[in-house]
């Protein structure tokens, strides 16, 4: 179910293995209806997330990027999410100066048991990205552009 | 009282016997930009120059000279780079002797060429009040500081080398510039998102991927291990597209986040005159706001991305 009938946008989700990936699974097992625009990439920890993953995703045509990990003080590796929070806050200053709307990127915390919260996050983030529409592209056309902007 | 340059030469003459080398500036092929001088022989001390043409941040050489006893001449901003290198334990305090100066501002050779149409034969530069005077072939040409100083000097946070072993001359304030041009960052912030993207697209179309910005950056210490050259992961591909060039700029900005002292070398080195320090300035603004931190000011402080707090006072997380 995409927010706009028939047209999904490309949203990338970087999720930690221990909390948020399990939380997304909980939402699935609970059969909660959710938008389907999000493509999930599972990582061991939000501390593994290089902010360049997010920049690269946008440069390769993502319309939105969501990062989700364990709540503060609940990180499987104790401190990964604390480092991640600082890095991602700094990233928030880079994206708009590059011309990437700050609304296209969010980070949050969802635990393994919070299936309902996961649904809320995915639904509202997806709505937010649909309100912004597809990411504007560079005008310079290359084969890569052509390939990225074919309808999937 | 001796002029700062004579005082500097005297101090270096005294210190040189205990050092392997002293790095200073001397007249080079470009009369608007002095060149580094590596002094091992006292006879070279006479060749030292010190004025607003000493733009290059000599601190960039320190990491590759680690293990040697090195003396270095530093302006306010150069000293902040040295402090940052000390904070990151990339150099050893006991091996470095800093000759600190008060700086009146560094001229941007490119701007002088376009504003004053002078290039060759500049014999001297003096800064007085809001103006810079250039002695060229027996004549004097004058310009407003806002026309000829480097971008970084308009926001200089301290023109004296704060951390040093020998302070030369008098302490003073950063240049007072009342006609500074609007910064690229402020200009971008007045634009819509899509226009910003196209602004960078235009700029990056001009980038020739020489990586002079990286080579000149005193904090880019990875040498042959730069992520831009890595194939796995392949952060930046070889496509000649503004996207890949902008990706590299994002990589440089994020790798210097919380470390960049806005020394301006990336921009000064860029042969295409691209405003690439803008990205680092944007990150620094945020870092000041949320971590109350400025890189290169305190040798005992830990850079903000090397640490965290469980409760981050100034970070407002979104409530879903
Ligand atoms: S930033 Fe300050 S210390 Fe550095 S060159 Fe400009 S005026 Fe001098
Ligand atoms: S990124 Fe540019 S301004 Fe910052 S430290 Fe490196 S060369 Fe200097
Ligand atoms: S110095 Fe300028 S032209 Fe060279 S890679 Fe950097 S931005 Fe591009």
């Amino acid at each position: 179910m995409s927010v706009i009938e028939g047209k999904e946008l490309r949203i990338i989700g970087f999720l930690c293995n221990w909390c948020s990936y399990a939380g997304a699974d909980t939402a699935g097992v609970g059969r909660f209806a959710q938008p389907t625009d999000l493509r999930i990439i599972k990582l061991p920890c939000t501390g593994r997330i290089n902010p360049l993953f997010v920049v690269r995703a946008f440069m390769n045509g993502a319309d939105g990027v969501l990062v989700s990990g364990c709540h503060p003080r609940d990180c499987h590796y104790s401190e990964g999410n604390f480092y991640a929070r600082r890095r991602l806050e700094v990233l928030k200053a880079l994206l708009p100066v590059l011309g990437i709307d700050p609304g296209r990127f969010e980070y949050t915390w969802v635990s393994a048991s919070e299936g309902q919260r996961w649904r809320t996050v995915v639904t509202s983030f997806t709505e937010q990205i649909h309100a912004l529409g597809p990411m504007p592209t560079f005008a310079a056309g290359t084969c890569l552009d052509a390939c990225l902007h074919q309808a999937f | 009282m001796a002029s700062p340059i004579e005082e500097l030469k005297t101090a270096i003459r005294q210190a040189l016997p205990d050092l392997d080398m002293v790095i200073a500036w001397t007249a080079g092929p470009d009369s608007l930009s002095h060149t580094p001088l590596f002094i091992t022989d006292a006879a070279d001390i006479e060749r030292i120059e010190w004025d607003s043409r000493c733009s290059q941040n000599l601190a960039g050489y320190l990491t590759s000279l680690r293990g040697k006893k090195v003396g270095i001449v530093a302006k306010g901003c150069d000293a902040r780079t040295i402090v940052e290198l000390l904070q990151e334990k990339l150099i050893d305090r006991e091996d470095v002797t800093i000759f600190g100066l008060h700086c009146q501002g560094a001229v941007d050779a490119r701007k002088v060429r376009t504003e004053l149409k002078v290039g060759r034969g500049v014999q001297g530069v003096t800064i007085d009040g809001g103006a810079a005077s250039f002695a060229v072939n027996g004549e004097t040409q004058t310009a407003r500081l806002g026309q000829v100083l480097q971008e970084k000097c308009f926001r200089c946070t301290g023109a004296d080398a704060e951390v040093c072993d020998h302070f030369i001359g008098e302490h003073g304030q950063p240049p007072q510039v009342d006609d500074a041009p609007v910064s690229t960052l402020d200009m971008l912030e007045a634009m819509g998102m899509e226009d910003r993207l196209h602004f960078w697209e235009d700029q990056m179309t001009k980038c020739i991927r020489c990586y002079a910005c990286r080579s000149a950056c005193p904090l880019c210490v990875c040498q042959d291990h730069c992520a831009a050259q890595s194939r796995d992961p392949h952060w930046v591909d070889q496509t000649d597209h503004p996207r890949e060039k902008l990706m590299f700029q994002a990589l440089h900005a994020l790798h210097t986040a919380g470390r960049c002292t806005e020394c301006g070398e990336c921009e000064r080195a860029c042969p295409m005159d691209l405003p690439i320090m803008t990205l680092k300035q944007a990150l620094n603004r945020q870092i000041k706001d949320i971590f109350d931190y400025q890189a290169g000011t305190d040798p005992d402080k830990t850079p903000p991305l090397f640490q965290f707090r469980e409760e981050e006072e100034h970070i407002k997380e979104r409530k879903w």
Side-chain angles (χ1 to χ4, degrees):
Chain A
M1 180 194 75
S2 79
V3 175
I4 296 169
E5 204 51 49
K7 177 67 184 152
E8 283 194 355
L9 291 177
R10 259 182 301 244
I11 305 177
I12 310 296
F14 292 106
L15 271 53
C16 84
N17 177 47
W18 302 100
C19 294
S20 292
Y21 193 83
D25 205 29
T26 304
V29 170
R31 296 185 173 277
F32 298 155
Q34 308 167 53
T36 52
D37 306 48
L38 189 82
R39 315 293 197 269
I40 293 176
I41 297 173
K42 182 168 78 167
L43 292 163
C45 177
T46 46
R48 172 64 184 91
I49 295 175
N50 186 330
L52 284 166
F53 291 171
V54 179
V55 180
R56 193 68 261 188
F58 281 118
M59 296 283 170
N60 280 23
D63 302 304
V65 177
L66 177 70
V67 166
S68 186
C70 308
H71 287 273
R73 297 197 178 81
D74 272 346
C75 173
H76 185 80
Y77 305 101
S78 311
E79 18 189 74
N81 53 1
F82 289 128
Y83 283 109
R85 179 166 61 188
R86 287 201 160 201
R87 292 176 193 147
L88 297 172
E89 282 291 331
V90 170
L91 176 70
K92 278 186 174 179
L94 181 68
L95 298 177
V97 78
L98 293 174
I100 299 167
D101 196 291
R104 295 186 184 277
F105 169 72
E106 296 283 0
Y107 71 88
T108 190
W109 321 118
V110 174
S111 77
S113 60
E114 292 176 317
Q116 188 58 47
R117 178 176 161 90
W118 176 253
R119 178 177 47 184
T120 308
V121 166
V122 174
T123 308
S124 66
F125 188 64
T126 307
E127 279 167 2
Q128 182 175 320
I129 300 304
H130 277 269
L132 288 166
M135 172 75 191
T137 56
F138 290 120
T142 64
C143 326
L144 184 58
D145 284 314
C147 153
L148 282 170
H149 297 104
Q150 274 167 11
F152 285 110
Chain B
M1 200 182 74
S3 63
I5 185 158
E6 290 311 321
E7 206 187 310
L8 176 65
K9 288 178 183 172
T10 306
I12 292 177
R13 199 168 286 116
Q14 281 167 1
L16 188 61
D18 299 321
L19 300 171
D20 292 314
M21 174 190 291
V22 174
I23 318 174
W25 299 276
T26 190
D30 178 355
S31 76
L32 282 169
S33 176
H34 287 325
T35 221
L37 176 67
F38 299 88
I39 305 168
T40 50
D41 179 348
D44 282 333
I45 293 175
E46 277 316 310
R47 296 173 56 205
I48 294 176
E49 293 280 355
W50 164 240
D51 64 23
S52 293
R53 292 172 289 177
C54 297
S55 337
Q56 185 173 336
N57 178 355
L58 303 172
Y61 295 112
L62 288 177
T63 43
S64 55
L65 291 168
R66 192 173 197 177
K68 297 213 181 313
K69 296 273 182 205
V70 179
I72 183 165
V73 186
K75 311 185 283 295
C77 51
D78 306 339
R80 286 188 280 282
T81 297
I82 298 173
V83 169
E84 182 62 32
L85 295 173
L86 289 169
Q87 284 179 268
E88 297 182 29
K89 301 183 174 46
L90 290 165
I91 56 173
D92 307 297
R93 184 67 188 91
E94 61 279 12
D95 286 345
V96 180
T97 303
I98 308 165
F99 300 92
L101 291 159
H102 164 66
C103 169
Q104 292 185 298
V107 295
D108 182 323
R110 252 184 299 240
K111 285 190 200 161
V112 177
R113 282 195 191 95
T114 44
E115 290 292 330
L116 299 183
K117 310 272 183 289
V118 298
R120 287 158 206 256
V122 176
Q123 280 119 21
V125 183
T126 44
I127 289 184
D128 197 7
S133 305
F134 299 80
V136 197
N137 304 326
E139 286 174 26
T140 303
Q141 296 210 41
T142 305
R144 304 285 310 155
L145 291 186
Q147 294 171 284
V148 292
L149 285 194
Q150 290 190 31
E151 166 93 17
K152 63 172 175 181
C153 303
F154 302 138
R155 276 177 316 282
C156 179
T157 54
D160 295 344
E162 294 291 348
V163 173
C164 67
D165 302 286
H166 305 280
F167 192 84
I168 312 292
E170 307 272 316
H171 287 269
Q173 293 301 313
Q176 302 299 309
V177 188
D178 46 26
D179 58 343
V182 177
S183 71
T184 306
L185 184 55
D186 288 334
M187 185 201 77
L188 278 170
E189 284 184 345
M191 286 163 46
M193 289 296 156
E194 199 163 343
D195 291 341
R196 298 183 195 186
L197 191 72
H198 293 310
F199 169 85
W200 287 114
E201 177 176 18
D202 288 344
Q203 296 296 323
M204 288 300 128
T205 303
K206 292 181 249 172
C207 168
I208 56 172
R209 276 176 108 162
C210 62
Y211 291 138
C213 44
R214 173 184 71 188
S215 303
C217 175
L219 302 181
C220 274
V221 291
C222 304
Q223 309 268 334
D224 279 346
H225 303 280
C226 177
Q229 252 82 44
S230 152
R231 288 284 164 141
D232 187 16
H234 205 177
W235 289 111
V236 182
D237 78 27
Q238 307 298 309
T239 321
D240 180 26
H241 190 292
R243 173 196 301 112
E244 297 308 312
K245 300 170 187 177
L246 192 54
M247 184 68 201
F248 173 70
Q249 292 305 326
L251 188 150
H252 191 190
L254 287 169
H255 285 180
T256 53
R259 309 170 58 222
C260 167
T261 59
E262 295 187 30
C263 76
E265 287 295 87
C266 47
E267 243 176 63
R268 199 178 64 84
C270 176
M272 306 311 287
D273 207 7
L274 304 178
I276 46 185
M277 192 172 62
T278 307
L279 301 178
K280 293 118 190 176
Q281 287 167 331
L283 299 191
N284 278 343
R285 274 193 194 175
Q286 172 90 334
I287 286 163
K288 183 98 186 79
D289 285 353
I290 58 179
F291 306 125
D292 189 22
Y293 179 85
Q294 190 195 341
T297 50
D298 182 349
D300 298 323
K301 267 198 180 163
T302 307
L305 296 184
F306 295 13
Q307 56 170 326
F308 63 83
R309 290 209 184 121
E310 291 196 5
E311 300 296 335
E312 300 277 9
E313 212 185 329
H314 301 293
I315 293 180
K316 301 211 175 10
E317 286 178 24
R318 172 169 171 174
K319 304 276 171 268
W320 293 82

